[in-house]
Amino acid sequence: VKDAFGNVLADGDCVQLIKDLPLKGSSQTLKGGTKSKPIRLVDGDHEIDCKIDGAPMALKACFVKKA
């Protein structure tokens, strides 16, 4: 799995959002530049499972860069 800039991601890497992302089912927005805890790569539509601000998230690799 590669991030938005072509860097290869692995389990345990920390990533950073490259743009603001709205949360489904909520009026909140994740701000660009927010760092996540160590990630876990998974198969499926969303390649990354991580925690941002203590909440579990599923993200696509095209919206993050390696931190």
Side-chain angles (χ1 to χ4, degrees):
V1 176
K2 294 184 179 182
D3 69 3
F5 299 105
N7 299 317
V8 177
L9 297 173
D11 285 342
D13 287 343
C14 290
V15 295
Q16 186 174 6
L17 295 176
I18 60 170
K19 65 182 238 176
D20 292 352
L21 296 175
L23 292 176
K24 281 191 173 181
S26 176
S27 61
Q28 293 180 331
T29 302
L30 293 175
K31 299 291 182 186
T34 304
K35 289 187 178 180
S36 76
K37 300 292 181 191
I39 64 170
R40 185 172 52 121
L41 300 177
V42 295
D43 291 331
D45 188 31
H46 294 79
E47 298 97 1
I48 298 171
D49 277 344
C50 63
K51 284 192 177 185
I52 297 178
D53 297 332
M57 302 281 163
L59 300 172
K60 292 190 176 198
C62 62
F63 296 120
V64 298
K65 69 177 182 178
K66 198 170 189 176

